[in-house]
Amino acid sequence: MTIMRSILGAAATLALTAGATLADPAIIFDLGGKFDKSFNESAYNGAKRWADSTGGTFKEMEMQSEAQREQALRRLAESGANPVVMTGFAFGNVLNEVAPDYPDTSFAIVDMVVDQPNVRSVVFSEHEGSYLVGMLAANASKSGTVGFVGGMDIPLIRKFACGYAQGVKAVNPDATVISNMTGTTPAAWNDPVKGSELTKAQISQGADVVFAAAGGTGVGVLQAAVDGGILSVGVDSNQNHLHPGKVLTSMVKRVDNAVEKAFSDGPGFETGVMVMGVGNDGVGFAMDENNGPIVDANWKAAADEAAAKIASGELTVHDYMSDDTCPALEF
């Protein structure tokens, strides 16, 4: 494979596969890079799975700064890439401006709704998956205190925290949930040192399970949990393998499925809002050989039962983004 590197703004790299056709799809990763072991990597896995199964090729871009978003989108659209998929809410305003200029290009954005005729907006019911891992955390906790470390303090991440707290309280109404956010700028997604510090602080307050919803920052959370002798919960990608037997589970957010579907549907795909939740394999909790020995069968059965009730509509998990409140956690 031949890779041509093109500098955008400060240092973004656009990888173009040799022999690529004008209709090749493309993906732009949010800050933190495609191998963040979390959100972006899940998106990359979906693109790669599409390529492996179809023999197709795709273009990809990793940004280095906020300033590159618009230039990156326009450059890909002008190169003929179609569809163009981007990961992260922060692309929302830029895409809203760029999409009308390329009416024949199909765009897909994850985690934000953009109301344009050529845009597919993919949003997830993160609160549902977080509820399930919250149940597992409460069952695994011996101290009755669990933690949550978020990335950037935005409504989306509070949605994770709120769902998690509801799941914890469903198992143990007297449990304490400690919640901290890493920061208020995009740098919060890629600060493992700060993630580690917050985790250590939560351990000092009695937390013995901590859930990280913080992109690349979560790598520091998971490591600090191991070092502190407690369990952690991964996010987005299945992170159980990062510390076998020490990661209780991962709240998987199937960004990979969203990307693979967009690539498979191709140019001219159905647009509008696509919601992915427990009921359509959009979110859930990960079980594999790495965490199977530490998850009691009764805990898993309870979470599976709750998942079935959520999918059927019998159980409703409060969505923080619906009214900016959380019945189980104060921010």
Side-chain angles (χ1 to χ4, degrees), residues 8-315:
L8 296 183
T13 50
L14 171 65
L16 302 177
T17 307
T21 69
L22 291 181
D24 276 351
I27 183 168
I28 309 177
F29 302 101
D30 208 347
L31 297 176
K34 69 179 178 181
F35 293 127
D36 64 353
K37 297 182 172 62
S38 186
F39 180 77
N40 285 329
E41 190 159 340
S42 178
Y44 170 73
N45 289 338
K48 186 175 185 301
R49 191 164 64 230
W50 171 85
D52 290 343
S53 64
T54 64
T57 57
F58 63 92
K59 304 173 183 180
E60 62 182 86
M61 179 175 294
E62 296 183 75
M63 299 190 316
Q64 303 301 318
S65 74
E66 287 290 318
Q68 295 166 347
R69 292 188 191 276
E70 181 173 355
Q71 188 179 10
L73 273 177
R74 291 188 182 280
R75 188 176 181 94
L76 283 172
E78 290 169 4
S79 77
N82 200 2
V84 177
V85 181
M86 63 221 72
T87 60
F89 72 94
F91 282 100
N93 290 337
V94 170
L95 179 59
N96 194 48
E97 295 178 2
V98 170
D101 294 339
Y102 304 93
D104 295 328
T105 300
S106 296
F107 296 94
I109 182 170
V110 176
D111 280 352
M112 178 56 70
V113 174
V114 174
D115 186 15
Q116 295 290 347
N118 55 335
V119 173
R120 172 184 291 179
S121 302
V122 184
V123 294
F124 290 80
S125 299
E126 294 94 350
H127 54 302
E128 295 178 352
S130 297
Y131 181 96
L132 301 178
V133 301
M135 291 181 65
L136 292 172
N139 273 313
S141 176
K142 294 180 174 61
S143 68
T145 297
V146 300
F148 175 88
V149 176
M152 187 175 175
D153 189 2
I154 54 174
L156 175 64
I157 299 304
R158 292 189 175 201
K159 182 180 180 182
F160 279 87
C162 184
Y164 175 66
Q166 289 174 78
V168 171
K169 298 284 189 176
V171 171
N172 180 5
D174 297 323
T176 297
V177 181
I178 305 169
S179 176
N180 295 113
M181 300 294 179
T182 304
T184 57
T185 69
W189 303 120
N190 194 28
D191 192 347
V193 173
K194 181 66 175 294
S196 175
E197 292 172 351
L198 290 173
T199 303
K200 291 175 182 177
Q202 292 187 356
I203 292 173
S204 72
Q205 297 173 70
D208 58 0
V209 184
V210 62
F211 176 26
T217 297
V219 174
V221 175
L222 269 57
Q223 183 62 58
V226 172
D227 295 342
I230 70 166
L231 295 171
S232 61
V233 176
V235 76
D236 294 336
S237 296
N238 181 353
Q239 297 182 316
N240 297 352
H241 68 282
L242 296 180
H243 301 285
K246 303 298 183 181
V247 179
L248 177 66
T249 187
S250 297
M251 199 295 277
V252 287
K253 177 175 173 179
R254 301 307 301 271
V255 180
D256 56 334
N257 288 349
V259 173
E260 183 179 22
K261 180 170 176 55
F263 278 17
S264 297
D265 291 349
F269 57 40
E270 182 180 357
T271 58
V273 179
M274 175 186 295
V275 181
M276 300 184 69
V278 167
N280 61 355
D281 197 29
V283 295
F285 63 95
M287 292 296 304
D288 56 27
E289 68 278 7
N290 295 300
N291 70 331
I294 62 173
V295 176
D296 185 278
N298 292 326
W299 307 348
K300 180 180 182 301
D304 286 338
E305 181 180 358
K309 289 181 177 179
I310 292 171
S312 70
E314 182 180 349
L315 172 60

